[in-house]
Amino acid sequence: MSNETQMTRRGLFTKLGILFNGLVAAALAVPIMQFLFSSVRLGRAGAYLSWVPVGRVADFPEGETRLATFRNPYVTPSDGETAKTACWVRHVEGDQFQVFAVNCAHLGCPVRWFPQSGLFMCPCHGGAYYRDGSRASGPPERGLFEYPIKVQDGVVTISAGELPTPGPNASVNPERPPCA
């Protein structure tokens, strides 16, 4: 055998190294590519928004605010229990409701409702909100994020799928004027 056709130990390990590095690169590329192309798979922005029920009207006594959960419409099979999202439902009167995201508008900590004082309080930095979700005090510069709602057939439903945030498409319920 000539020296040109015989593989050296160094050559063998070089080829094995290249092979294993290629396998690792391919294994890493699959989830990265899925992430990068996920927006193409979802279609246009907001396409996964849908109306989801948070409870029956009878579940929320008039004049009270209660914690409710709903299943986020944009889920994957691996989400499990984390697909459940909490929200605060305020029954103003009749068919008038307000549904707030449970997250503080400052840094996203979960706010808690205190019926004794009529305030939502954030435990992280002392943010406070009035019962209508407007800012009372503390570092948040705005009120709680509010989901668009509608009541159909005795069921309170919200437009969900992405967290409501401020901006040009901020969630505003066109059927109900802002509370004063």
Side-chain angles (χ1 to χ4, degrees):
M1 248 193 208
S2 70
N3 285 344
E4 293 176 14
T5 59
Q6 188 177 9
M7 181 164 301
T8 64
R9 180 181 169 119
R10 177 176 287 191
L12 174 67
F13 283 123
T14 300
K15 290 184 182 200
L16 284 175
I18 290 171
L19 175 69
F20 287 127
N21 282 332
L23 291 173
V24 168
L28 290 174
V30 169
I32 291 171
M33 296 308 280
Q34 285 178 336
F35 171 76
L36 292 175
F37 291 110
S38 64
S39 61
V40 173
R41 222 181 27 213
L42 292 173
R44 60 180 172 75
Y48 54 88
L49 289 177
S50 63
W51 292 94
V52 294
V54 292
R56 302 202 55 76
V57 171
D59 296 340
F60 307 106
E62 196 167 304
E64 288 189 24
T65 300
R66 294 216 171 148
L67 186 65
T69 59
F70 63 91
R71 185 158 178 82
N72 192 321
Y74 177 64
V75 296
T76 60
S78 62
D79 287 340
E81 288 297 307
T82 62
K84 291 183 181 174
T85 305
C87 61
W88 290 105
V89 180
R90 175 178 178 238
H91 188 166
V92 181
E93 63 182 358
D95 278 352
Q96 284 186 313
F97 286 85
Q98 285 183 287
V99 180
F100 305 108
V102 75
N103 309 90
C104 177
H106 178 228
L107 292 177
C109 295
V111 296
R112 187 164 170 216
W113 170 247
F114 290 90
Q116 309 87 332
S117 60
L119 294 172
F120 292 99
M121 302 289 289
C122 176
C124 295
H125 299 104
Y129 304 89
Y130 294 115
R131 69 179 70 245
D132 68 354
S134 61
R135 179 189 178 274
S137 68
E141 295 181 3
R142 64 171 314 282
L144 291 172
F145 300 115
E146 189 172 345
Y147 289 101
I149 66 114
K150 65 180 176 181
V151 178
Q152 280 185 306
D153 301 325
V155 177
V156 180
T157 58
I158 61 172
S159 178
E162 58 185 22
L163 275 177
T165 56
N169 296 324
S171 64
V172 176
N173 185 351
E175 298 171 9
R176 184 188 57 79
C179 293

